[in-house]
Amino acid sequence: MPRSFRIGVSSGFKTAAPGTIEPVLERLIDPLPHVEWAFYDAGGGEPVAAEAIAGFEGIIALGSPYDASTVAGNGELACLARWGVGYDLVDTEAMTANDILLAIAVDAVRKPVAEAILTLILALAKKLWAKDKLVRTGRWDLKAQTSGLGLSGKTVGSVGMGNIGGEMFRLLGPFDLGRRLAHDPYLDPQRADALNVELVSLETIFRESDFVITNCPLTEETRGFINGRLFEMMKPSAYFINTARGPIVNQEDLVAALQAGTIAGAGLDVVEPEPLPLDHPLIGMENVILSPHALAWTDDLYEMNGTIACESLLAVFRGELPAFPVNREVIEQPGFRQKLDSLAARWREFGV
């Protein structure tokens, strides 16, 4: 009888997301007698050690770095499945060089993150934070001073227009927006037309939007590229929202814009660093809504993230490709094809 397939699960789930992955593993993996799973030590912010993932053919990764030192010389690992969609902590070049496929959970985060964006748009537009404070302090007499904005006729601009951006505009459909703007050099114009979105320059997004939403990935190209120059272009009545990654924004410039009243406020589910120090200027700002990189963390997201991660690994064990591969260039590499063929042959030996 061939040896069982082994899945390594990040120990980060025990602290950062307890109880979220286990039900999915119990549903999808435990009934398979030829597949085992175990937690591995994901470390404390440092790159995962190579010895921690030795012996696993697939791993489910959460929030730790995975670099060249993690995977160098690992001849067994075939697939790293991210519990989520962001992979800025994964060295994709190192994965490719070591014949390891990186898979993400695109469908799992699309709707929960879009819902999180909608939550921040509505909370900022209605000045929910200010109205909450009036009730808590007994100042009902000031409620006229916290009048909000209706979304009808307003312009929403998306920096980046992938799956989340498209879902965001779909959810905003009933609100009778004025214009839908997007800046994305990689977006197919036909898809923009189908979503009734105008493709415009980055500067146009910031000049003309009532709500600027960050929907792009963190890359070397996008790191810190939303800065003071762009904030200076915004309307003083406009709001900035970031649910993507904190380092995409030059945070000092954002703080300066908020302090100067250059923009009306911000909704931030991501910041830099995380956790945000309690003495950071953003903490004390009453026109800022903050969330601990968890506004999209819902029962739906937990279930789908775990399901897609498990299904990605099971697909690779069967010699197939997962639904959402990232480093597609690895697929035709002889080393990866050899891993895939070997795994498929073992799967067949179990008669499944």
Side-chain angles (χ1 to χ4, degrees):
M1 181 68 69
R3 62 187 177 88
S4 297
F5 298 92
R6 300 195 67 227
I7 294 174
V9 180
S10 171
S11 62
F13 285 100
K14 295 181 179 180
T15 54
T20 60
I21 190 67
E22 292 88 345
V24 181
L25 292 166
E26 291 170 5
R27 177 169 58 85
L28 294 179
I29 305 302
D30 288 351
L32 304 175
H34 52 290
V35 183
E36 303 172 353
W37 67 272
F39 285 110
Y40 63 88
D41 184 2
E46 297 299 319
V48 173
E51 55 269 24
I53 61 170
F56 294 118
E57 288 125 331
I59 62 176
I60 298 177
L62 190 56
S64 300
Y66 298 80
D67 65 6
S69 69
T70 306
V71 297
N74 192 320
E76 292 187 276
L77 183 61
C79 183
L80 184 151
R82 269 280 293 130
W83 192 84
V85 70
Y87 53 92
D88 47 287
L89 293 177
V90 179
D91 186 335
T92 54
E93 292 184 1
M95 298 294 129
T96 301
N98 287 274
D99 299 313
I100 300 166
L101 183 65
L102 170 62
I104 56 177
V106 172
D107 278 351
V109 303
R110 178 188 289 117
K111 194 166 187 290
V113 176
E115 288 175 349
I117 295 168
L118 184 58
T119 298
L120 290 173
I121 289 175
L122 290 172
L124 290 167
K126 307 308 177 185
K127 296 191 177 179
L128 185 60
W129 79 93
K131 290 179 170 65
D132 177 86
K133 183 178 179 181
L134 291 186
V135 175
R136 294 177 188 276
T137 57
R139 295 308 308 270
W140 293 59
D141 57 309
L142 299 179
K143 62 185 180 182
Q145 298 178 24
T146 60
S147 298
L149 299 175
L151 297 189
S152 179
K154 298 299 188 294
T155 297
V156 173
S158 183
V159 180
M161 190 60 191
N163 291 300
I164 293 171
E167 183 68 12
M168 174 194 77
F169 279 122
R170 189 187 73 81
L171 294 179
L172 284 168
F175 289 93
D176 194 25
L177 297 178
R179 298 174 68 198
R180 301 159 167 239
L181 308 180
H183 173 76
D184 190 330
Y186 306 104
L187 181 66
D188 183 344
Q190 290 184 338
R191 181 165 183 265
D193 289 342
L195 292 167
N196 193 26
V197 171
E198 301 175 51
L199 284 178
V200 298
S201 69
L202 187 63
E203 289 75 15
T204 300
I205 292 282
F206 281 81
R207 285 195 189 101
E208 301 186 14
S209 298
D210 296 294
F211 297 89
V212 175
I213 320 295
T214 304
N215 279 317
C216 61
L218 174 62
T219 65
E220 287 308 308
E221 181 183 3
T222 63
R223 186 178 295 274
F225 87 124
I226 295 180
N227 55 28
R229 179 184 74 89
L230 294 171
F231 290 129
E232 285 292 332
M233 297 178 184
M234 291 179 68
K235 305 174 185 178
S237 59
Y239 293 96
F240 176 77
I241 292 172
N242 188 9
T243 59
R245 285 294 187 270
I248 292 171
V249 179
N250 182 316
Q251 199 159 269
E252 290 185 3
D253 289 355
L254 173 60
V255 168
L258 289 163
Q259 290 174 332
T262 304
I263 62 177
L268 308 173
D269 186 47
V270 290
V271 290
E272 175 68 17
E274 295 178 2
L276 196 65
L278 293 180
D279 61 352
H280 194 279
L282 286 172
I283 297 290
M285 291 184 175
E286 295 188 355
N287 59 341
V288 177
I289 297 175
L290 297 169
S291 173
H293 201 159
L295 195 57
W297 285 30
T298 62
D299 53 349
D300 292 342
L301 179 134
Y302 296 154
E303 174 69 19
M304 286 297 292
N305 263 347
T307 296
I308 293 176
C310 288
E311 288 179 344
S312 295
L313 297 183
L314 292 176
V316 170
F317 293 166
R318 294 191 300 266
E320 304 166 1
L321 296 177
F324 306 107
V326 174
N327 54 337
R328 292 178 175 271
E329 61 273 22
V330 79
I331 293 172
E332 299 305 323
Q333 291 181 179
F336 176 73
R337 298 305 308 186
Q338 185 176 357
K339 287 182 179 180
L340 208 61
D341 292 343
S342 176
L343 290 168
R346 272 172 58 199
W347 189 272
R348 289 193 296 270
E349 285 186 65
F350 283 103
V352 292

